[in-house]
Amino acid sequence: MLMSFDTSNIVRGAAGTGDEPEFRLLQQDRANLLARRPITIWGHGSFTRVDNTRNRTGDDARYVGDVWGYNIGADYQLNPQVFAGASLGYSETKLTTTYNTGTYDEGSWTVTPYAVYYVTDRIKLSALAGYAVNNLDQTRSSGSVTSSTDSKMSYTAINGSYKLQPNPEIPLDVLAQVSLLATHKSVEAFAESDGTVIAAATANTRQAKTSLEAAFSFHQGGTVFQPFVKGALVYDLMDPTNSDPNAYDVGGGVRMGNGVTGFNGFIEGQTQLGRDDYDEYSISTMVTYSFGIGGNGESSLWFLSPYVKFDFTGNAQVYASGVEHRNLTGSLSLNLDVMQTVPTAAQSMPASDVMVRAKVRF
């Protein structure tokens, strides 16, 4: 099927009480468009609104705010059953923390390699592992006390899905999925502006999720449209929100794809239900472009070549090391390298400049 999507998960940090930080869960959806277009580039954006109203004796955790997330990525078909890629993401969490009459502002950069394996036409497995670096600014006591610190997070997720078409005469697909998510987040110790010292903290999340989706496909003017609805049961094995481990995700949207142009996309809305004193809804959208390499749209033979470089430019020495991935004819090559520039004489440039570069040449 042209419009079959894989779902993976990326975790973002969000506000908690400090000792029991909670986690926002944003989806990173990657279109399954592999047939004769082995390279896909994509962009994904999402918005999530959260409102935690829990306010009990000795347990005030009230906050409300927004989470914006952006990702760009690319992947390559290694063989008819396997493709692998990576994404770079940024998210911004801005909350009003009623429990301490303050604010919470966290920016997060993530790098996420991922892979998908098609066991059969119906069974699919996917996995990702990523790392995030975050900067956190907080205020409390109506803004009179401020603080800033950094945090780091690692995360992994695996997903298995089974797709079936109950009636071959009707373009209705039913997709069942099971996923497991694990994260570890560490927040560095810091001192608030009034001298209060906050110790370093760590948090671990373990989450299991089962979901069911129904999607109906139809063609219009050469484009495939696929409206869909889905529901999921979420269970937090560790660090449950408001000590309530059960939740339900309900959502739907529409996917669009054109096999001739290679452009595809979707828009989706979702809400989470069932947690005590907690409401959440989100909307996300994605655009992908897939293309071939050879004249017939199929990949042929590729070479992977590690390299090192040395150069002299003016009053500086340049050192670089990386890897080149190019096809047999040389019509397309991809380079990823790390370059360091070291001055050989006193000048206005920094003592040493390190740069990570990625280049694509046609």
Side-chain angles (χ1 to χ4, degrees), residues 203-226:
N204 296 284
T205 294
R206 304 290 185 269
Q207 187 178 85
K209 189 175 189 179
T210 60
S211 64
L212 195 65
E213 176 189 296
F216 184 85
S217 303
F218 64 92
H219 294 256
Q220 181 67 40
T223 300
V224 177
F225 292 88
Q226 189 183 61

Side-chain angles (χ1 to χ4, degrees), residues 10 22 30 41 46 54 74 110 129 149 151 157 167 171 179 187 206 211 240 246-247 285 297 300 306 334 349 355:
I10 289 182
E22 301 183 15
R30 212 329 246 137
I41 56 177
S46 63
R54 188 177 185 87
T110 60
T149 188
S151 66
N167 187 337
S179 62
V187 181
R206 304 290 185 269
S211 64
N246 298 296
T285 185
S300 53
L334 295 84
M349 67 184 298
M355 180 185 304

Side-chain angles (χ1 to χ4, degrees), residues 231-267:
L233 171 63
V234 180
Y235 184 77
D236 293 330
L237 304 171
M238 296 180 66
D239 287 347
T241 300
N242 292 343
S243 301
D244 184 1
N246 298 296
Y248 307 93
D249 289 341
V250 179
V254 60
R255 303 178 181 116
M256 298 153 282
N258 191 304
V260 176
T261 64
F263 282 100
N264 305 270
F266 75 82
I267 185 168

Side-chain angles (χ1 to χ4, degrees), residues 80-294:
Q81 284 76 44
V82 179
F83 73 81
S87 72
L88 175 66
Y90 178 76
S91 70
E92 184 77 21
T93 301
K94 289 183 176 293
L95 305 175
T96 298
T97 50
T98 309
Y99 61 81
N100 64 355
T101 60
T103 60
Y104 180 105
D105 187 353
E106 184 172 28
S108 175
W109 287 95
T110 60
V111 176
T112 310
Y114 61 89
V116 178
Y117 171 50
Y118 290 83
V119 183
T120 68
D121 290 341
R122 297 180 181 274
I123 301 174
K124 178 172 57 178
L125 303 175
S126 64
L128 64 83
Y131 187 75
V133 291
N134 318 301
N135 178 258
L136 171 60
D137 295 316
Q138 296 181 92
T139 67
R140 63 177 175 87
S141 302
S142 301
S144 61
V145 179
T146 62
S147 63
S148 180
T149 188
D150 296 320
S151 66
K152 300 177 177 62
M153 183 168 63
S154 58
Y155 49 90
T156 60
I158 58 174
N159 178 284
S161 65
Y162 179 77
K163 181 177 66 176
L164 61 90
Q165 189 174 6
N167 187 337
E169 303 299 323
I170 302 176
L172 175 66
D173 292 328
V174 178
L175 184 70
Q177 296 190 80
V178 177
S179 62
L180 295 173
L181 169 72
T183 75
H184 173 77
K185 184 175 182 179
S186 60
V187 181
E188 297 179 1
F190 61 95
E192 296 180 307
S193 59
D194 66 350
T196 302
V197 176
I198 307 299
T202 61
N204 296 284
T205 294
R206 304 290 185 269
Q207 187 178 85
K209 189 175 189 179
T210 60
S211 64
L212 195 65
E213 176 189 296
F216 184 85
S217 303
F218 64 92
H219 294 256
Q220 181 67 40
T223 300
V224 177
F225 292 88
Q226 189 183 61
F228 63 92
V229 294
K230 64 181 183 181
L233 171 63
V234 180
Y235 184 77
D236 293 330
L237 304 171
M238 296 180 66
D239 287 347
T241 300
N242 292 343
S243 301
D244 184 1
N246 298 296
Y248 307 93
D249 289 341
V250 179
V254 60
R255 303 178 181 116
M256 298 153 282
N258 191 304
V260 176
T261 64
F263 282 100
N264 305 270
F266 75 82
I267 185 168
E268 175 184 357
Q270 179 174 284
T271 186
Q272 187 170 100
L273 308 171
R275 292 198 192 273
D276 292 338
D277 306 317
Y278 181 83
D279 295 305
E280 172 186 319
Y281 66 85
S282 64
I283 185 169
S284 60
T285 185
M286 186 174 199
V287 176
T288 76
Y289 175 61
S290 300
F291 57 95
I293 303 172

